């Protein structure tokens, strides 16, 4: 069980990460809005480079949107008092692990076991 200080540290960490993601989302919207401006006089290489940059920005935005969902879920678990409980074995998740990866839902042992199973699966 986390103490009050640890809970406050996690809440602050999650909140600042969510704030950072929100700011990034705002800049991504601005980027997409400015995309169609200044197209006169551009060659195919400029267009190709811009398309690749735009595609990368969209992928990054999608990843950050999924992370934001995980952060909101972690904040809910923190509020409910079970953020430090492994979803597989119900053992405690260490505070250091939570600070390193606050959206984690697995203890170190369960995560390691899951990664081992995934590594042993054949790739198609």
């Amino acid at each position: 069980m986390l103490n009050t200080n640890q809970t406050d540290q996690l809440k602050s960490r999650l909140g600042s990460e969510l704030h950072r993601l929100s700011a990034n989302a705002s800049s991504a919207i601005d980027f997409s809005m400015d995309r169609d401006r200044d197209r006169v006089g551009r060659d195919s290489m400029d267009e190709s480079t811009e398309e690749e940059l735009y595609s990368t920005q969209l992928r990054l935005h999608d990843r950050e949107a999924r992370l934001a969902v995980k952060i909101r879920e972690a904040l809910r678990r923190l509020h409910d008092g079970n953020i430090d409980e492994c979803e597989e074995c119900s053992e405690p998740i260490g505070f250091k692990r939570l600070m390193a990866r606050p959206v984690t839902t697995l203890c170190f042992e369960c995560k390691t076991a899951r990664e081992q199973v995934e590594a042993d699966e054949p790739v198609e």
Side-chain angles (χ1 to χ4, degrees):
M1 181 133 220
L2 299 176
N3 64 39
T4 304
N5 185 37
Q6 292 171 327
T7 301
D8 291 344
Q9 286 181 52
L10 273 173
K11 186 175 184 177
S12 175
R13 173 94 193 273
L14 289 164
S16 64
E17 188 65 11
L18 194 57
H19 182 340
R20 182 189 69 79
L21 292 173
S22 295
N24 285 354
S26 177
S27 68
I29 291 170
D30 291 344
F31 176 78
S32 66
M33 298 292 280
D34 289 340
R35 184 167 179 258
D36 291 327
R37 296 182 187 161
D38 301 327
R39 292 212 179 244
V40 176
R42 302 188 63 185
D43 64 16
S44 62
M45 288 299 285
D46 290 339
E47 293 289 333
S48 178
T49 300
E50 185 174 306
E51 280 300 316
E52 184 62 30
L53 179 61
Y54 186 69
S55 174
T56 301
Q57 283 289 98
L58 287 176
R59 284 193 308 272
L60 180 60
H61 177 66
D62 287 345
R63 288 182 64 146
E64 288 182 341
R66 287 190 298 272
L67 180 56
V69 170
K70 288 181 179 182
I71 290 171
R72 287 185 192 97
E73 176 63 21
L75 284 166
R76 186 197 57 76
R77 289 192 326 271
L78 183 65
H79 181 267
D80 293 347
N82 61 1
I83 192 168
D84 61 338
E85 184 179 307
C86 178
E87 72 180 6
E88 284 191 10
C89 70
S90 299
E91 291 294 317
I93 300 172
F95 177 68
K96 287 183 180 181
R97 176 160 170 74
L98 286 168
M99 284 302 288
R101 179 110 173 108
V103 297
T104 191
T105 59
L106 301 173
C107 68
F108 180 78
E109 291 77 15
C110 289
K111 180 63 174 173
T112 302
R114 185 178 283 184
E115 287 175 349
Q116 185 62 45
V117 168
E118 291 171 359
D120 293 341
E121 292 178 356
V123 178
E124 294 181 23

